[in-house]
Amino acid sequence: MRAIILAAGLGLRLQQPAGDQFPKCLLQFDGVTLLERHLQMLDAAGVHDVVLALGFQPELVEAELKRINWPHKVEIVLNPRFDLGSVLTVHTVADAITRGGDVLVMDADVLYDERILSALVAGETVNRLLIDRDFETGDEPVKLCLQGGVPVELRKQLAVGLQYDTIGESVGFFRFREETARRFADIVAGYIDSGRANMPHEEAVRDLLLERSHVFDTADVTGAPWIEIDFPNDVARAASEILTQLRPFISLARQTTS
């Protein structure tokens, strides 16, 4: 199983002061960056094949990798046009997506409980989505809608009259089987070829789901704390509401120097 962590973006909505911007995966909570938390939990889950898709200030992320001293090699792929949509970042890692085996595609800007990753990686080869039914309505969450257990929508804005029996927020992590990952890469390439490089990669996932050519199961992670960090108030909520519910982490760098 291979994990692809998307960490290329500018993070403009965080409203960091000019000159002080840095990749969101380097946000620290209790002295541990989001990147290190990702790597530690992947390691605990037995996922050691990691590809990191970078763009904005990659040297800062590479320095953090050295500081962490994670015991496995991390493959780094650069997207020089990180100012465009995340679908282009996914396209830059197409080789890793189609290399074989199950693939995890994960946003880097998520603070989450280990139960969420456990639900994603459990079992043999499978296509899997994660849904949190306890979510705040509004325009920002990416909604996942199911009808009889089958995904019928994955979007922030739902069409009027859409029929579904379950709705929740999609956690920004997806799992694809080998053949499904190849089809996903093809769809992403179609976005680039048709001039839609400014789109979010979730749109390509949506196209894949609505083709109905690959069966997906859905793991319900309702009750497991997590937050995607896009805005300044998300940082505050992550520290005050989410972090307090998570198992304490000890930095790998701190362990090796103690």
Side-chain angles (χ1 to χ4, degrees), residues 199-221:
M199 298 295 287
H201 68 283
E202 288 89 353
E203 283 294 298
V205 178
R206 175 181 184 267
D207 290 349
L208 176 64
L209 296 176
L210 297 186
E211 279 185 353
R212 305 284 178 87
S213 56
H214 299 271
V215 176
F216 278 79
D217 73 21
T218 306
D220 192 328
V221 295

Side-chain angles (χ1 to χ4, degrees), residues 32 36 40 67-69 247-258:
V32 183
E36 182 170 0
Q40 282 208 42
R67 187 195 69 82
I68 292 170
N69 196 29
R247 177 175 62 85
F249 263 75
I250 300 176
S251 170
L252 288 172
R254 197 181 308 163
Q255 292 178 45
T256 56
T257 57
S258 61

